Amino acid sequence: MSPTIRQYEEAFGKWINGRKCFSFWKGRVALHAILQALGVQEGDEVILPGYTCVMDVNPIMYLGAKPVYVDIEPNTYNLDVNLLEQKITPRTKVIIAQHTYGYPVEMDAVLQIAGRKGIAVIEDCCLALGGKYKGKTLGTLGKAAYFSFQWNKPYTTGLGGMALCNDAGLAEKIEKLCQDRLIPVPVKKSLVLQAQLMVYRGFIYPRTTALAQNVFRWLNKKGFVVGSSTNQELAGNVAPDDFFMGMSDVQARAGLRQIARLERNIDHRRKMAKMYDELLSQRGWTVSQLSNDMDPVLVRYPVRITEKWKAVEQAASRGVELGTWFESPLHPKETSVELYGYRWGMCPQAEKAAEQVVNLPLHPRTSEKTIRRTVDFICGFKQA
Ligand SMILES: *Cc1c(COP(=O)(O)O)cnc(C)c1O
């Protein structure tokens, strides 16, 4: 393994209370590694919220295990702990606690239920970097956690993922798995990703935006873009041959740069979320009230409106950055949820949220002016 990659794993682990970390090509690969190391196999059940990304479900199905969906509670969009126990069967092996949008899951309740039954808890921190629950950093509460550095996550390394272990035995198993089976990133993929990262950074510095867009279009036309998901991943339950891929140096370098500015990133997110709270309250909107146990760092700011898709359409033409996650209990909208063992009506709160929730930007490029403009735009719609 290259020294840069090791350095990034160590820096990331150090940032989260000195935990042992393993880097991967994507977040979903990190989840796959954790599930395998936990011994999840054919016939086992894995519980997760029915308000997630389909890419979270694939790694479960690749192992022949069965995803079991639990509905969310409407305030934090996290799994409803009151519904958790009834989902547990003798085959339940893992509970995935996804900290949706960055809101911490009610971890005490989850850990208590899981502990009683000897079930492992994995934290999905793909949308939650730096948040805390009862003073503990998210990712350090379960047996393991995983993170994503895909384009829209708390920070990006292009694509990228990390598994974090709170258990020495499990860490050893993941290490062995990586030694035996991890596929190195092909040079071409890595170069293309580097180009994409340069384009992405181009958007950060507006002066070069036009150039960046042209380069991106050109790359796209030539088929030179590393997509977040392949068609195969959107369709089936068989892992692509090159699924279990490691991280590239390009990603690790980008990650090291991002860790150096992580505190600033987090401060910014907190400040901007507070500003949304204040501005929306002033306009008579209800904003979410959390218990003092929860200290979230949000990736995006979710709001519920009555005409989601009309708003999304208008936002595009008005230059407002409106996010659509989650469009379906198993995001995106195009997912054939039945292929993943989801039946409509299974998680009514999640289905309702998918119809209503849009999310507003909080990332480091979001200025106070952007926030005001976004609030003006969203207040043209009715809160749901
Ligand atoms: C993005 C995301 C993932 C998957 O991350 P990738 O790096 O794209 O594999 C998993 N879970 C949640 C909640 C996510 O938002």
Side-chain angles (χ1 to χ4, degrees):
M1 186 198 291
S2 92
T4 315
I5 295 171
R6 178 147 300 151
Q7 204 185 339
Y8 178 42
E9 289 178 349
E10 280 169 9
F12 189 86
K14 189 169 160 215
W15 198 87
I16 304 187
N17 301 15
R19 294 307 205 272
K20 181 76 185 158
C21 289
F22 300 92
S23 61
F24 297 92
W25 178 242
K26 293 176 187 173
R28 67 199 74 166
V29 186
L31 171 61
H32 194 65
I34 297 169
L35 290 173
Q36 266 192 299
L38 285 170
V40 172
Q41 52 183 313
E42 183 108 37
D44 288 339
E45 293 177 3
V46 175
I47 297 179
L48 76 171
Y51 189 66
T52 188
C53 169
V54 69
M55 295 309 153
D56 246 4
V57 186
N58 274 330
I60 300 169
M61 311 249 299
Y62 293 163
L63 294 170
K66 180 184 163 199
V68 174
Y69 304 100
V70 57
D71 204 1
I72 56 169
E73 62 83 23
N75 194 37
T76 61
Y77 309 96
N78 284 327
L79 64 84
D80 186 339
V81 293
N82 298 312
L83 303 175
L84 185 56
E85 198 138 17
Q86 69 201 57
K87 296 283 176 180
I88 293 174
T89 76
R91 317 198 78 156
T92 308
K93 191 95 182 213
V94 170
I95 297 170
I96 299 180
Q98 169 188 293
H99 303 296
T100 313
Y101 300 117
Y103 291 120
V105 171
E106 195 63 76
M107 285 304 286
D108 272 358
V110 173
L111 290 169
Q112 201 184 37
I113 294 169
R116 264 203 316 268
K117 315 253 181 184
I119 298 166
V121 176
I122 302 176
E123 294 176 75
D124 177 346
C125 294
C126 291
L127 303 175
L129 186 53
K132 291 186 173 143
Y133 173 80
K134 293 195 172 172
K136 291 182 186 151
T137 305
L138 300 183
T140 64
L141 292 122
K143 202 160 183 116
Y146 65 105
F147 299 79
S148 168
F149 314 117
Q150 187 254 5
W151 304 100
N152 303 311
K153 302 303 159 90
Y155 69 72
T156 189
T157 62
L159 308 170
M162 194 76 86
L164 176 151
C165 289
N166 295 312
D167 177 295
L170 188 68
E172 255 172 53
K173 285 189 183 138
I174 295 182
E175 182 139 36
K176 177 93 176 48
L177 211 63
C178 291
Q179 275 167 5
D180 293 350
R181 304 235 326 269
L182 202 63
I183 302 164
V185 181
V187 175
K188 186 186 162 200
K189 256 197 165 93
S190 166
L191 286 174
V192 172
L193 191 68
Q194 179 147 38
Q196 279 176 266
L197 270 166
M198 280 164 64
V199 172
Y200 179 88
R201 288 186 199 118
F203 284 106
I204 304 178
Y205 305 104
R207 212 178 290 238
T208 57
T209 297
L211 173 67
Q213 274 172 335
N214 285 335
V215 174
F216 197 76
R217 275 197 208 110
W218 183 81
L219 285 169
N220 223 336
K221 213 166 73 193
K222 300 275 171 193
F224 273 156
V225 169
V226 188
S228 296
S229 304
T230 62
N231 288 338
Q232 191 181 359
E233 285 186 273
L234 289 168
N237 51 10
V238 178
D241 290 339
D242 61 352
F243 180 73
F244 201 59
M245 199 149 64
M247 182 172 266
S248 66
D249 270 30
V250 171
Q251 290 164 299
R253 269 197 301 279
L256 283 166
R257 262 198 301 271
Q258 292 290 344
I259 286 182
R261 52 176 87 127
L262 190 47
E263 295 294 343
R264 242 187 309 157
N265 178 337
I266 287 170
D267 286 349
H268 183 81
R269 288 177 185 283
R270 288 188 192 280
K271 196 169 135 215
M272 295 296 129
K274 196 158 158 245
M275 197 169 159
Y276 279 124
D277 278 347
E278 285 166 8
L279 291 176
L280 287 168
S281 301
Q282 282 167 21
R283 304 273 193 115
W285 285 47
T286 309
V287 300
S288 77
Q289 301 289 334
L290 298 179
S291 86
N292 288 333
D293 295 342
M294 313 287 189
D295 180 17
V297 175
L298 299 183
V299 64
R300 309 269 310 179
Y301 187 96
V303 289
R304 288 177 189 260
I305 57 173
T306 53
E307 296 176 293
K308 172 168 176 170
W309 294 105
K310 189 171 154 199
V312 169
E313 207 183 291
Q314 284 185 14
S317 61
R318 303 257 298 268
V320 172
E321 191 193 319
L322 209 59
T324 59
W325 328 316
F326 294 94
E327 300 169 358
S328 150
L330 306 179
H331 182 93
K333 215 165 38 185
E334 292 76 19
T335 308
S336 310
V337 297
E338 297 84 359
L339 290 180
Y340 294 88
Y342 186 89
R343 272 182 288 100
W344 291 104
M346 225 176 212
C347 300
Q349 286 295 344
E351 289 175 23
K352 192 162 147 193
E355 283 296 307
Q356 297 178 334
V357 176
V358 290
N359 59 69
L360 317 179
L362 291 168
H363 52 72
R365 289 159 286 149
T366 322
S367 66
E368 293 192 5
K369 198 170 135 205
T370 315
I371 306 271
R372 286 182 199 284
R373 219 161 59 86
T374 308
V375 168
D376 281 344
F377 173 82
I378 210 72
C379 286
F381 294 86
K382 265 219 292 289
Q383 187 172 29

